[in-house]
Amino acid sequence: EVADESESALEKVERQELVGLTRSLIGELPDDERQVVEEIYFKHLTIVEVSSNLGVSKSWGSRLHAKAIKHLRALMEQRGLLDGG
């Protein structure tokens, strides 16, 4: 492994902490938004599959995904994890 590409112990801890905080924030999303995010990013399902699971059209599933990401971003900004803007 190239030294420049290696992650320091501190960076690993910080990344793990950020992942934990993000998962916690996902848990605060409304159920339908949380389900979309979890199924796309953790279960690696497609928008079509997620939409089918929710019983909605692909178009509505895409809108719900966009809404969930916007909501997650707002939660991160409120917690100081992201700069607003």
Side-chain angles (χ1 to χ4, degrees):
E1 186 171 315
V2 178
D4 291 352
E5 294 177 3
S6 66
E7 189 174 35
S8 74
L10 180 58
E11 288 169 335
K12 285 181 182 178
V13 168
E14 289 173 341
R15 181 174 46 79
Q16 289 171 345
E17 186 174 314
L18 183 58
V19 168
L21 288 168
T22 302
R23 284 184 182 263
S24 175
L25 293 175
I26 290 168
E28 295 182 29
L29 295 173
D31 287 344
D32 54 351
E33 293 179 23
R34 180 188 45 73
Q35 182 177 346
V36 168
V37 170
E38 287 177 346
E39 290 186 355
I40 290 173
Y41 297 101
F42 300 130
K43 297 180 181 175
H44 308 290
L45 300 180
T46 66
I47 286 283
V48 172
E49 292 167 322
V50 173
S51 300
S52 177
N53 290 346
L54 289 170
V56 299
S57 68
K58 178 185 175 198
S59 176
W60 186 254
S62 293
R63 284 192 292 257
L64 190 55
H65 173 253
K67 182 179 175 186
I69 296 302
K70 185 177 180 181
H71 194 172
L72 188 57
R73 174 177 285 281
L75 288 171
M76 289 178 156
E77 288 173 1
Q78 288 171 10
R79 303 303 197 288
L81 298 173
L82 288 176
D83 290 332

